[in-house]
Amino acid sequence: MHLEGFKDMILNRISIVNFKNIKAADLELSPKMNCFIGLNGAGKTNFLDAVYYLSFCHGVSGSPDSQLIKHDEDFFMLEGNYDSSDEVQDVISCAMKKGRKKHFKRNGKDYRKLSQHIGLIPLILISPSDISLVIGGGEERRKFMDVAISQYDHTYLSALMRYDKALQQRNALLRGEAEPDATLLDVLEDEMARQGNILFDKRDNFIERLIPVFQEIYQDISDCQEEISLKYVSHAREGDLLEILRSGRARDRAVGHSLHGAHRDDLEMLIGGYPLKREGSQGQLKSFVLSLKLAQFDFLRQKSDGIMPLLLLDDIFDKLDVCRVERIVRLVSGRHFGQIFITDTNRDHLDGILRQGDGDYRIFLVDNGNIVEKSE
């Protein structure tokens, strides 16, 4: 099931101890489709969070690591054994004890910086919370761009960290009781403009290349003919970013924070020429977001040194009709996708769809943090 020109990154085994509500799990996984069936709150999403953690060095929510430790325990441990189609093997592990610094290792060696790990195991997670891309604030849409681009471009990740540091320092000066030092503001604004221009160029390129793929996927899974569009909005389009920052300094001082810059970038989402948030139905919103994330997968697949990303689908079939679910499963189980993890509450309905295909799959039953493979 290997796509020519790409190498699969397969999580063939995972061990979990005291992670959220999972006391202990040691699972061998399918190289293609892994389905986790259970009631809401059983621990399906927590399992996906563990897989996500091994790619990003943190949980999906960004909560402090200590909050991921199972109640009444004082540590958690994760370990994933990965194989790639060019026979490279990696063991990624993390151990975290309350009150201690976490140890994140690749093949037994600690990383000097956790940022060095980002992109090694590219991953896309699609979940119900992704609806916040449409109905949430601009920070949700910036995070969408940041997570996608950071996985294949370390220059972007570095620029983002530098920009955020300069932004926080500028905001601290603006909020201070004493009049800010003009020379120091000059330095910080220079840094924000320099890094902000890098972020703008890379975000602009990402969205421009994402749009046609996104629109094609939307038509495939929705069977609808509405015109949908996506537009990247940035102050960097309005003129020189440094001049914009400097000219807004007095107003920023009055409100106590920076009103312009890359941290205010956004994505405009339209359907039929109108704002999706206002005009779209629930089905259209869900199809829009799903198409956006699958297009992100396709883009990441092209950019991640030929590595096929892992795809995590968390309870995405809720409130979708059977035909649309079947269309989505057939799409993601095709040759353009690698290893997939799906959670659902409806075992029979997913079972039936999987049996119609010819791909390898495993089904796991999840109950109160216990995960066991379903016997045929």
Side-chain angles (χ1 to χ4, degrees):
M1 194 68 71
H2 177 58
L3 187 61
E4 191 67 34
F6 291 91
K7 60 181 179 182
D8 295 323
M9 178 67 80
I10 303 299
L11 175 58
N12 56 41
R13 189 180 191 113
I14 187 169
S15 297
I16 305 171
V17 178
N18 295 336
F19 186 81
K20 304 182 92 169
N21 81 327
I22 302 173
K23 174 68 176 173
D26 189 8
L27 307 176
E28 291 189 7
L29 302 162
S30 164
K32 184 58 184 172
M33 187 84 74
N34 297 277
C35 305
F36 294 81
I37 312 297
L39 299 175
N40 292 327
K44 307 184 303 294
T45 298
N46 294 343
F47 172 82
L48 294 189
D49 204 359
V51 177
Y52 183 96
Y53 196 107
L54 289 171
S55 280
F56 291 99
C57 310
H58 61 75
V60 174
S61 69
S63 300
D65 293 311
S66 59
Q67 293 182 14
L68 304 178
I69 299 172
K70 190 176 188 297
H71 293 316
D72 301 322
E73 302 292 346
D74 63 357
F75 77 97
F76 77 75
M77 186 279 293
L78 303 173
E79 182 174 283
N81 293 63
Y82 296 83
D83 285 344
S84 68
S85 49
D86 57 3
E87 299 184 352
V88 174
Q89 297 182 329
D90 277 302
V91 177
I92 306 300
S93 62
C94 180
M96 167 75 191
K97 191 169 184 177
K98 283 182 180 176
R100 303 275 185 88
K101 183 180 177 182
K102 68 183 170 191
H103 288 277
F104 206 96
K105 299 181 179 183
R106 178 183 181 187
N107 299 325
K109 295 182 179 179
D110 277 292
Y111 279 98
R112 190 170 59 86
K113 291 182 179 178
L114 291 181
S115 60
Q116 295 173 322
H117 178 70
I118 307 304
L120 178 71
I121 308 162
L123 178 150
I124 298 294
L125 167 67
I126 305 178
S127 75
S129 65
D130 289 328
I131 201 70
S132 62
L133 282 171
V134 178
I135 64 175
E139 66 275 8
E140 298 290 343
R141 293 177 283 277
R142 288 189 295 278
K143 182 182 176 183
F144 166 74
M145 294 187 283
D146 293 342
V147 169
I149 304 170
S150 294
Q151 290 190 75
Y152 65 82
D153 190 333
H154 279 249
T155 305
Y156 181 90
L157 183 57
S158 175
L160 184 63
M161 293 167 71
R162 290 172 183 270
Y163 181 90
D164 285 344
K165 184 177 179 181
L167 172 65
Q168 297 308 319
Q169 290 176 323
R170 184 178 191 263
N171 284 346
L173 287 177
L174 294 171
R175 286 193 301 267
E177 292 186 11
E179 193 61 29
D181 182 288
T183 304
L184 184 51
L185 281 175
D186 283 344
V187 172
L188 294 172
E189 287 161 0
D190 278 339
E191 178 74 347
M192 285 176 65
R194 184 163 53 250
Q195 306 304 332
N197 283 323
I198 294 172
L199 298 178
F200 169 75
D201 289 341
K202 293 181 182 294
R203 286 172 177 174
D204 194 37
N205 177 263
F206 168 64
I207 296 300
E208 184 180 342
R209 296 180 61 179
L210 190 78
I211 287 171
V213 180
F214 154 66
Q215 291 175 326
E216 182 181 346
I217 292 173
Y218 183 88
Q219 296 302 329
D220 284 348
I221 69 172
S222 68
D223 200 26
C224 295
Q225 300 302 315
E226 309 99 354
E227 181 188 343
I228 55 163
S229 58
L230 193 64
K231 182 181 177 184
Y232 172 40
V233 181
S234 175
H235 291 131
R237 292 199 192 282
E238 301 171 8
D240 181 85
L241 202 48
L242 181 57
E243 287 303 313
I244 290 172
L245 286 167
R246 291 207 168 137
S247 64
R249 190 184 288 181
R251 187 180 173 200
D252 290 354
R253 169 67 171 154
V255 297
H257 59 267
S258 305
L259 294 169
H260 297 85
H263 62 290
R264 307 285 290 202
D265 287 0
D266 208 342
L267 292 173
E268 201 173 80
M269 300 175 171
L270 303 174
I271 186 163
Y274 295 97
L276 176 69
K277 181 178 180 178
R278 192 181 72 220
E279 299 291 328
S281 68
Q282 282 296 108
Q284 288 169 335
L285 261 64
K286 198 154 192 174
S287 295
F288 192 102
V289 171
L290 185 58
S291 302
L292 198 56
K293 296 297 289 279
L294 290 176
Q296 180 190 8
F297 178 97
D298 187 79
F299 188 88
L300 189 56
R301 178 171 63 89
Q302 302 287 345
K303 299 288 285 186
S304 298
D305 295 327
I307 299 173
M308 186 74 78
L310 304 182
L311 180 63
L312 279 54
L313 305 175
D314 187 19
D315 197 25
I316 66 163
F317 303 132
D318 184 42
K319 298 183 178 65
L320 291 179
D321 60 73
V322 174
C323 291
R324 192 169 297 201
V325 170
E326 193 165 339
R327 209 177 295 132
I328 293 167
V329 172
R330 284 179 177 166
L331 174 67
V332 300
S333 57
R335 62 193 295 268
H336 290 285
F337 294 84
Q339 190 179 28
I340 298 165
F341 299 84
I342 295 179
T343 70
D344 196 19
T345 55
N346 191 330
R347 169 172 150 188
D348 296 333
H349 136 231
L350 196 55
D351 229 348
I353 294 170
L354 290 169
R355 289 182 190 282
Q356 292 174 26
D358 57 2
D360 185 79
Y361 68 89
R362 290 190 179 194
I363 294 179
F364 299 87
L365 305 180
V366 186
D367 180 33
N368 195 28
N370 298 308
I371 307 174
V372 294
E373 186 172 1
K374 176 192 170 189
S375 57
E376 290 302 322

